Amino acid sequence: MVTPENLSGDTGGRREPLRFDQDASATAVDMDTAIVLLGAGVTAITHPLLYVKLLIQIGHEPLTPTVGTTMFGRKVLYLPGFFSYAQHIVRVDGKMGLFRGLSPRIMSSAISTMVRSKVKQAIPAEQAEHVSNRDDLKTSLRKVMKETSHEMVIQCLSRIATHPFHVISVRCMAQFVGREVKYRGLFSSITKIFNDEGVGGFFVGVVPHVLGEVIFLWCCNLLAHFINTYAVDDNVSMFSQAPAVRSYTKFVMGIAVSVLTYPFMLVADLMAVNNCGLVAGLPPNSPIFKSWLHCWAHLSHKGHLFRGSSFFYRRVPVTGMALTEE
């Protein structure tokens, strides 16, 4: 006999999975929204730092170096650090000038979050044999490679989707050199690049950028795996805190590998500005490069492959000169 209680129970039993799916979907959306907002905040806070870095990368040095002496008594020229450079930007453009090119970077951060979320839904971590949990530290190299491949797909798709906004942001910031106003709003910049260079203009420098991130990812994961598996031994007394040591291995490897892959990021930024009509990307400020390999060769010849990698204690050795402090 069908009673109201039975009917209600049957209906509730059939609808519960739907409610669960809806709750899970809502939770995922809320999480993505929180990540987007957090990413926008972090992007805004760190933008002045990256702005100064970009100007140093393209070789713009508007401030006169100061003469100093190293601890060994050698005379050197000290280039302005971050704070001196930032103060110069404020004097020229005001405090809001430190946030030139911010809106494309915020858009890039939001799109990156959405792309990563969609790819993770399409390729769940379980299928990629995620192996970062503590219970599986002695995992095989095969599983580590599968996990890294999964991360690589996410990173590559995210970079390709957001690179057009990276190009716009870099060009907005590079206008500081020649005081141009060619790239102002986000949508007007998109229209200008499309009209002047076509679709290819949005992807200048994408190859070294993607290549650098792929090399970083593989080197970081493989080095961390080998160190955790073969160097950190639970039976050795000095590694009595082996789990704690392993938790920091990937972080430390990331710092070390990022130094080695920095030239790829530098070349990508220079190619984004190169020969785009801005003073910063034209002679005499910069040669016109035929390809990113040409740019790499030029920087290597000049010894500038790590230009902009440091914000402080940027010094140029003085040889064959007698310098005196004023």
Side-chain angles (χ1 to χ4, degrees), residues 21 39 55 78 80 245 269 290:
D21 292 341
L55 293 178
Y78 284 99
V245 172
D269 289 342
K290 299 178 181 178

Side-chain angles (χ1 to χ4, degrees), residues 174-175 177-180 182 273 276-286:
Q175 289 182 136
V177 178
R179 312 304 301 161
E180 298 104 334
K182 296 177 64 175
V273 180
C276 68
L278 298 178
V279 170
L282 294 171
N285 292 294
S286 171

Side-chain angles (χ1 to χ4, degrees), residues 213-257:
E213 291 184 349
V214 169
I215 292 175
F216 169 84
L217 184 61
W218 279 96
C219 289
C220 183
N221 284 3
L222 290 177
L223 285 173
H225 169 69
F226 287 132
I227 291 176
N228 286 337
T229 303
Y230 302 109
V232 181
D233 193 344
D234 296 310
N235 298 322
V236 180
S237 59
M238 66 177 295
F239 291 121
S240 57
Q241 300 297 326
V245 172
R246 290 192 179 99
S247 66
Y248 289 103
T249 302
K250 195 170 183 178
F251 173 75
V252 175
M253 288 299 99
I255 296 176
V257 176

Side-chain angles (χ1 to χ4, degrees), residues 119-138:
V119 174
K120 288 179 180 179
Q121 291 176 11
I123 310 176
E126 292 80 9
Q127 295 181 15
E129 296 188 53
H130 190 69
V131 294
S132 61
N133 58 78
R134 294 186 178 183
D135 296 329
D136 200 14
L137 290 173
K138 298 295 184 180

Side-chain angles (χ1 to χ4, degrees), residues 262-280:
Y262 176 82
F264 290 95
M265 308 298 111
L266 172 61
V267 171
D269 289 342
L270 292 183
M271 291 303 297
V273 180
N274 184 63
N275 198 25
C276 68
L278 298 178
V279 170

